[in-house]
Amino acid sequence: MYRLKMTDEEFSGMDMEDFSEDEDLQEESMISLKRQLIASEEIIRNLRLSNASQEQTIHNLVSALEKLRSLHLEERKVLESIKIPNLLSSFRISDPSSSKVVQPAIDYSQHPLLNHIIVSNIMQRLPLSDVIRCRLVCQSWWGKGNEELRKRKLIGINYRNIENLSKFAKLLETSGDIPFARFRFGLFVVNTHRVAVEDFFSVCGPVITHIALCFANQFCEITLEELRDLFLLRVPNLEKLDVERLPLKLTKELSLFPPGTKVPQLRKLKHLKIWDNMASDNRMDSTYSIGLLHDLISMAPNLSKLSVYTECQHLVAAALKSLEEKRIELRELRLESISEENLLYLTRLRFPLKMLRIEYFDTLTAPESVKSLLTTLSFTLEELHFSDYRVMNHAENLVVAFPRMARLRVLKFRRPWNDRRLLFYPLSFKEQLPCLKKISFQHEQGSPPYCIHSYNDFVNPETTGPSETVEELEITHELDSVLMFRKLPESFPKLKILKSTDSSNEIIRAIWEFLPNLQELYLTLSISNRNIDSVITGIPVEVYRQICKENLYSRVDGNVLEIIRTDPSICSLKRLSKLVIEGHQINRVTDFSCSFALIFLKSLTSLTITDADITEDCRDLMKIHLNLVHLEILP
């Protein structure tokens, strides 16, 4: 969570008028900057001479930025304390034939590294900490950095920092260009801090694009008037509203606005997310009044995304009815659960949905109703998320037949609620899902994998045929069937991206052996993945332990390595360009994997490893052997 103290320090360090009066330091900084510019020009010149693709060009520019950031710490501090535009304007060349000074031949204001398109692409690929520092380069980068912060940074305001809200607002006002547009409010008494909240919205209200409200706590208070006048009517450019939790007293109000009052319009509000407090033991009871929900939807005439997380079907029905009354054409709909009645109602509305997510179907859901909905959406739907249906012990599996989904690109499943399953038969990728790009099989965190029905259904080339379009596969639960995994190359011959969680060592070795054409790999390790260095390198455990015990690293050259590597290794992934390994405290990736495997992945440009035990020497070794644009290793 973002601390206001950090914002204080951040803005105090961004005083663009704070010049150093030490002339020697300024001259040294000028020389350093000139050296950077010359190096940058050389990079751009080489890029122009080559026929590199746009993506490769951007990667090279990011690499150049990383090299520029690697200057000595003291030198970087000096550079950050100087106003770059003024420095460039003072960097002139004397004309010996005249007492006048002339501008240099290169117009640094038009320098390729300052091109706004390139800068935007660089900012998108940097972590937020680097984006903050990049804003100190020049006025143009300041603006682009702020744009990126407004997109990615969510500021939390609660009882821990509400006392500093007025000071925070003042800092933002004096900055001239407010870098934050996404805020989450919760857990403080609004009336006690009303003045501070008003000061904040008077400054930030016009630039805010996202507000999340979470006040469901016995110690915090918010009235209907405060919700309406303070939080909703001071943000004319609001694009997303998350009503996560509100006090029960407030949600029972019959409406958000007094009867006969014209409901104000937030015409830029595109996404509305509503969470039910679920305080009642009866799943059919909602903590929200239908009138309050109706008013929230009425404020957004151009709503395109709606998320309603509740098991109360009366609230779901009220939301669908409000959308129909306002003639709002949704593009994305997310529901926690849906009944047979609401499923039929949704089908009749004929929304041109591009994305649909339904967590649970109820017991009485008929297969024909699900197919009817999918048929209605068959020409617009691009992304579909299904989980399961809630059933009694005597209920049968829910078997659904896919219609031809002409535009469906993403298909996601979550694990079933119990041993009852949501099945799809018959299934032919070529006939029913001709444009599918990604399939995801997700299990709820912490729950045992009772069955892997969806995986078994879709990875079966004998019945489904191969999919020539699927490029990405995600498996977020433990999978031990190597035989089933071996079917992947036949089922998805063009697979490029694999995300695997809690997979056994045997499955990881199968990745090395059967998927040599992978370009991106995301591995999340678990406690079961012991001796992970041995698995990655393909060196047997006994040999691996002997090398580590006797420190025989220097004696293992290329010839010896070919002899002792008897198992499949990650080195077979010759095309791998991005590798992310989320390690585990018990089985950390060490220098062994880097020295005997990772440095041989010559196509690798991005490497991230967490919970690793890798020394600085080994990191330097990877930088020498690999053309890395991004390297992040966390202990």
Side-chain angles (χ1 to χ4, degrees), residues 15-115:
D15 188 359
M16 302 298 284
E17 302 298 329
D18 184 18
F19 283 88
S20 171
E21 296 184 0
D22 191 328
E23 294 182 358
D24 292 337
L25 287 178
Q26 289 197 19
E27 182 178 359
E28 182 181 352
S29 301
M30 190 181 300
I31 295 173
S32 175
L33 180 63
K34 182 179 178 181
R35 185 168 67 249
Q36 295 182 56
L37 292 175
I38 293 174
S40 303
E41 292 162 14
E42 183 65 24
I43 293 171
I44 296 300
R45 197 156 41 242
N46 293 336
L47 289 175
R48 288 175 174 172
L49 292 175
S50 66
N51 293 323
S53 64
Q54 181 180 3
E55 185 67 19
Q56 185 60 41
T57 300
I58 293 173
H59 284 320
N60 290 337
L61 289 172
V62 175
S63 179
L65 180 63
E66 290 292 329
K67 292 178 182 179
L68 298 183
R69 288 175 47 231
S70 64
L71 294 171
H72 191 271
L73 180 60
E74 293 300 322
E75 183 175 321
R76 285 167 54 191
K77 288 182 178 179
V78 174
L79 289 175
E80 291 175 352
S81 67
I82 295 179
K83 192 173 183 179
I84 299 301
N86 286 357
L87 178 62
L88 292 178
S89 64
S90 64
F91 182 60
R92 300 173 179 176
I93 301 175
S94 299
D95 185 357
S97 63
S98 173
S99 60
K100 298 180 179 180
V101 292
V102 296
Q103 295 289 343
I106 298 177
D107 183 1
Y108 290 107
S109 65
Q110 301 298 322
H111 195 279
L113 278 179
L114 300 180
N115 181 282

Side-chain angles (χ1 to χ4, degrees), residues 484-498:
M484 188 185 303
F485 198 87
R486 288 180 177 180
K487 297 179 181 179
L488 281 181
E490 186 178 352
S491 296
F492 311 120
K494 295 185 178 180
L495 189 65
K496 298 179 181 179
I497 304 173
L498 177 64

Side-chain angles (χ1 to χ4, degrees), residues 346-615:
L346 178 59
T347 304
R348 292 195 299 269
L349 292 180
R350 295 186 175 275
F351 289 135
L353 292 177
K354 291 186 176 182
M355 187 273 186
L356 174 64
R357 174 176 176 174
I358 298 177
E359 294 289 340
Y360 299 108
F361 297 94
D362 72 2
T363 306
L364 301 178
T365 301
E368 295 78 12
S369 301
V370 180
K371 183 178 180 180
S372 178
L373 175 63
L374 296 179
T375 302
T376 303
L377 303 174
S378 60
F379 291 101
T380 63
L381 203 62
E382 297 178 1
E383 187 169 344
L384 177 62
H385 297 216
F386 273 162
S387 179
D388 187 33
Y389 74 122
R390 288 193 167 155
V391 298
M392 301 299 180
N393 292 331
H394 62 274
E396 299 296 331
N397 294 331
L398 181 62
V399 182
V400 177
F402 264 120
R404 179 179 174 84
M405 308 291 290
R407 296 187 178 182
L408 193 68
R409 299 171 60 86
V410 179
L411 183 60
K412 292 187 178 184
F413 296 96
R414 293 186 65 184
R415 69 165 295 276
W417 180 258
N418 52 22
D419 59 348
R420 302 302 172 181
R421 298 176 280 181
L422 180 64
L423 305 178
F424 293 89
Y425 292 118
L427 176 63
S428 168
F429 284 112
K430 184 177 180 180
E431 299 297 329
Q432 295 162 280
L433 305 171
C435 295
L436 193 63
K437 293 290 184 181
K438 176 180 178 180
I439 303 181
S440 175
F441 304 97
Q442 299 178 343
H443 268 216
E444 294 176 358
Q445 185 176 5
S447 56
Y450 287 109
C451 57
I452 48 176
H453 63 279
S454 295
Y455 186 87
N456 192 21
D457 298 338
F458 283 81
V459 187
N460 192 353
E462 291 83 5
T463 58
T464 65
S467 172
E468 299 292 338
T469 59
V470 171
E471 298 179 352
E472 181 175 350
L473 175 64
E474 180 179 21
I475 310 172
T476 64
H477 59 272
E478 186 174 358
L479 179 65
D480 290 323
S481 175
V482 179
L483 180 63
M484 188 185 303
F485 198 87
R486 288 180 177 180
K487 297 179 181 179
L488 281 181
E490 186 178 352
S491 296
F492 311 120
K494 295 185 178 180
L495 189 65
K496 298 179 181 179
I497 304 173
L498 177 64
K499 298 180 180 180
S500 179
T501 302
D502 294 340
S503 294
S504 64
N505 287 352
E506 289 72 21
I507 292 296
I508 296 178
R509 291 191 180 97
I511 295 175
W512 312 152
E513 185 175 1
F514 298 104
L515 300 174
N517 295 323
L518 283 180
Q519 296 179 12
E520 296 184 18
L521 176 61
Y522 303 79
L523 282 179
T524 301
L525 305 179
S526 68
I527 193 173
S528 64
N529 300 117
R530 300 299 179 92
N531 303 312
I532 191 63
D533 283 329
S534 173
V535 176
I536 292 177
T537 59
I539 298 175
V541 176
E542 296 77 11
V543 180
Y544 150 68
R545 290 175 178 172
Q546 188 71 17
I547 294 175
C548 294
K549 180 180 180 179
E550 300 184 14
N551 195 19
L552 301 176
Y553 284 78
S554 59
R555 298 188 182 183
V556 182
D557 57 15
N559 295 329
V560 175
L561 187 59
E562 290 299 322
I563 296 174
I564 63 176
R565 180 184 287 144
T566 58
D567 296 329
S569 77
I570 196 173
C571 298
S572 62
L573 307 184
K574 303 295 185 182
R575 300 183 181 181
L576 194 66
S577 62
K578 184 174 183 178
L579 175 62
V580 177
I581 301 178
E582 295 186 16
H584 197 278
Q585 293 180 352
I586 297 179
N587 45 25
R588 293 187 172 188
V589 177
T590 70
D591 288 0
F592 192 92
S593 291
C594 299
S595 301
F596 298 141
L598 298 185
I599 62 172
F600 298 103
L601 299 176
K602 299 304 180 181
S603 298
L604 199 64
T605 58
S606 177
L607 175 61
T608 302
I609 308 178
T610 62
D611 275 318
D613 187 12
I614 300 176
T615 63

Side-chain angles (χ1 to χ4, degrees), residues 11-225:
F11 274 85
S12 65
M14 293 183 182
D15 188 359
M16 302 298 284
E17 302 298 329
D18 184 18
F19 283 88
S20 171
E21 296 184 0
D22 191 328
E23 294 182 358
D24 292 337
L25 287 178
Q26 289 197 19
E27 182 178 359
E28 182 181 352
S29 301
M30 190 181 300
I31 295 173
S32 175
L33 180 63
K34 182 179 178 181
R35 185 168 67 249
Q36 295 182 56
L37 292 175
I38 293 174
S40 303
E41 292 162 14
E42 183 65 24
I43 293 171
I44 296 300
R45 197 156 41 242
N46 293 336
L47 289 175
R48 288 175 174 172
L49 292 175
S50 66
N51 293 323
S53 64
Q54 181 180 3
E55 185 67 19
Q56 185 60 41
T57 300
I58 293 173
H59 284 320
N60 290 337
L61 289 172
V62 175
S63 179
L65 180 63
E66 290 292 329
K67 292 178 182 179
L68 298 183
R69 288 175 47 231
S70 64
L71 294 171
H72 191 271
L73 180 60
E74 293 300 322
E75 183 175 321
R76 285 167 54 191
K77 288 182 178 179
V78 174
L79 289 175
E80 291 175 352
S81 67
I82 295 179
K83 192 173 183 179
I84 299 301
N86 286 357
L87 178 62
L88 292 178
S89 64
S90 64
F91 182 60
R92 300 173 179 176
I93 301 175
S94 299
D95 185 357
S97 63
S98 173
S99 60
K100 298 180 179 180
V101 292
V102 296
Q103 295 289 343
I106 298 177
D107 183 1
Y108 290 107
S109 65
Q110 301 298 322
H111 195 279
L113 278 179
L114 300 180
N115 181 282
H116 68 280
I117 298 177
I118 295 177
V119 173
S120 296
N121 279 278
I122 290 175
M123 296 290 185
Q124 292 172 10
R125 288 163 171 79
L126 292 178
L128 284 177
S129 58
D130 288 343
V131 172
I132 292 175
R133 287 195 290 268
C134 284
R135 295 185 305 165
L136 304 177
V137 172
C138 64
Q139 187 174 0
S140 174
W141 284 43
W142 168 268
K144 291 298 179 182
N146 285 348
E147 289 180 9
E148 195 63 27
L149 287 177
R150 283 192 285 268
K151 294 177 184 177
R152 294 163 56 183
K153 187 63 180 178
L154 178 66
I155 307 298
I157 299 175
N158 53 37
Y159 68 92
R160 293 187 181 94
N161 52 31
I162 185 63
E163 298 291 343
N164 296 321
L165 187 58
S166 294
K167 184 178 180 181
F168 181 56
K170 186 176 181 180
L171 286 170
L172 294 178
E173 184 177 19
T174 56
S175 69
D177 186 10
I178 299 176
F180 307 119
R182 305 172 72 241
F183 296 90
R184 184 178 188 272
F185 296 87
L187 301 182
F188 65 87
V189 180
V190 177
N191 186 50
T192 305
H193 303 279
R194 185 183 182 100
V195 175
V197 175
E198 289 179 342
D199 291 342
F200 170 80
F201 277 103
S202 65
V203 174
C204 300
V207 302
I208 290 178
T209 60
H210 177 195
I211 285 183
L213 302 175
C214 182
F215 290 102
N217 188 286
Q218 59 178 335
F219 301 110
C220 66
E221 290 289 342
I222 180 173
T223 65
L224 189 68
E225 176 262 341

